[in-house]
Amino acid sequence: MNSYDFSHNNLDAIFSFQKLSHCQFPSLNISHQFDFSFLDNLILNKSDFQTSLSDSILISDTQSVTAEVDKLMNEERERLKTFRNRIYYLLLFLFLGFVVKAYFMYRYYKKTKRQRAQMLLENKNLQMTKKENKELQQKINTSFDEVIQLAKENSSEFLIRFQEVYPHCYYKLVHLYPDLQTSEIKFCAMLYLNFSTKDIAEFTFVTPKAVQNRKNRLRKKLNISSDEDLNVWMKKTCD
C-alpha cells in the first residue's frame, strides 16, 4: 500500500468515526470530550490533498517522460550528427578524388597534345627536308649535267659555273694552294669531276700524253705521291 492509499483510508476512517459518534451516541455527548475541529479541517481539505497528491504524481511522471524524451532526442541528434559527418567526409573524399583525377587527366592531355604537336612538327619538317633534299638533288643533278656539258665544250664559263655548283671545292683549292693558276684550277676541277686522261684530252683538244705531263707537273707542285690516284686525291681534298 502506498502513502496515497494509506492517507486516503485513514481519512475515510476518521470521517466514519465522527459520523458514528453523532448519530449513534448522541447522549454520550462525546463531542465535548473529543475536539473534532481538526478533523473537520482535514475533511474539508481532503479534496485539495487528493488533487495536490495527484498533481505531484503527474508532475513526477511528466518529468520522467520528459527526461526519457530528451534522452531519445539527444541520441537522435548525435546519430544525425554522426551521419552528417560521414556524408561530409564522403563528399569531401569524392571531391578530392575528382580534383586529383582531373589534375592528372589534364597533365596527360597537355603532355599528349604537346607530343602530338611535336610529332606533327617533326613530320612536317621531315617532309619539308625530303622535299628540299629532292629539289636540291634535282638542282645538283641539273647543275652537274650543266657543268659536265660546259667541260665537254671547253667553254670559258666552265670554271665560273663549277665555282657556283661546287664552291667548297673551289675555295679549298684556292685556300690550300694559293699559288695555283687559273688553268691549273680548271684542270683540278676536271679531275674532281672524275674525268679520265682521255676525256680531258678530248675536251681540251690536246693529246693524252700532254694531259699526262700536266698531271705529273701538278703532282710535283702539290707534292702528291705517284702512287696516289689524282682523281681520288682531289675528291678527298675538296670534300
Side-chain angles (χ1 to χ4, degrees):
M1 179 182 295
N2 56 35
S3 59
Y4 172 80
D5 292 335
F6 177 78
S7 300
H8 183 271
N9 292 335
N10 286 339
L11 287 174
D12 287 342
I14 294 171
F15 178 76
S16 299
F17 175 76
Q18 184 188 34
K19 183 178 180 180
L20 180 63
S21 64
H22 284 285
C23 295
Q24 298 291 336
F25 307 101
S27 59
L28 294 178
N29 195 16
I30 299 177
S31 58
H32 74 278
Q33 298 179 11
F34 297 95
D35 185 2
F36 290 99
S37 60
F38 76 95
L39 293 179
D40 292 335
N41 292 330
L42 287 176
I43 293 170
L44 291 175
N45 294 328
K46 175 183 178 182
S47 177
D48 293 338
F49 175 77
Q50 292 175 342
T51 301
S52 176
L53 189 59
S54 299
D55 291 341
S56 298
I57 296 172
L58 180 61
I59 290 172
S60 178
D61 292 340
T62 302
Q63 291 176 346
S64 300
V65 172
T66 301
E68 188 67 24
V69 170
D70 290 340
K71 180 181 178 182
L72 292 175
M73 290 181 66
N74 289 333
E75 291 177 354
E76 184 64 17
R77 278 194 292 268
E78 288 297 324
R79 190 184 68 81
L80 290 176
K81 182 179 179 181
T82 302
F83 177 76
R84 282 195 299 268
N85 289 338
R86 290 178 179 176
I87 294 296
Y88 169 78
Y89 288 120
L90 177 62
L91 292 176
L92 180 62
F93 175 78
L94 292 176
F95 175 75
L96 292 177
F98 173 78
V99 170
V100 172
K101 183 177 180 181
Y103 171 74
F104 282 105
M105 288 181 65
Y106 176 75
R107 287 192 59 184
Y108 176 77
Y109 168 77
K110 294 291 288 186
K111 181 180 179 180
T112 304
K113 184 178 179 180
R114 187 166 53 250
Q115 290 177 343
R116 186 162 54 248
Q118 184 67 26
M119 289 179 62
L120 290 175
L121 181 61
E122 290 177 356
N123 290 335
K124 184 178 180 180
N125 292 336
L126 181 61
Q127 294 298 326
M128 290 180 64
T129 302
K130 287 182 178 179
K131 184 179 179 180
E132 291 174 355
N133 290 340
K134 185 177 180 180
E135 293 176 351
L136 180 61
Q137 189 62 42
Q138 290 176 348
K139 290 180 179 180
I140 290 175
N141 293 337
T142 302
S143 300
F144 176 78
D145 294 339
E146 184 180 352
V147 171
I148 295 297
Q149 187 60 35
L150 291 173
K152 287 180 179 182
E153 295 174 357
N154 197 28
S155 172
S156 59
E157 296 181 0
F158 165 70
L159 187 58
I160 297 174
R161 188 62 180 144
F162 179 85
Q163 179 182 346
E164 294 174 350
V165 177
Y166 304 101
H168 61 284
C169 180
Y170 179 84
Y171 289 112
K172 262 193 176 182
L173 287 172
V174 173
H175 177 72
L176 294 174
Y177 308 102
D179 296 337
L180 287 175
Q181 298 179 3
T182 303
S183 59
E184 291 172 331
I185 295 175
K186 181 180 178 181
F187 186 70
C188 290
M190 288 187 172
L191 295 174
Y192 178 81
L193 294 173
N194 204 28
F195 287 136
S196 65
T197 300
K198 181 180 178 181
D199 292 334
I200 296 173
E202 181 181 349
F203 300 154
T204 57
F205 307 106
V206 296
T207 62
K209 185 174 176 58
V211 175
Q212 190 62 47
N213 290 334
R214 291 189 68 178
K215 284 186 176 182
N216 291 335
R217 288 195 298 270
L218 186 64
R219 285 179 185 273
K220 186 177 181 179
K221 188 171 185 177
L222 302 181
N223 194 25
I224 303 172
S225 171
S226 58
D227 298 331
E228 187 86 34
D229 185 278
L230 274 178
N231 295 55
V232 175
W233 182 90
M234 199 62 64
K235 276 285 186 182
K236 290 191 300 184
T237 302
C238 290
D239 291 342

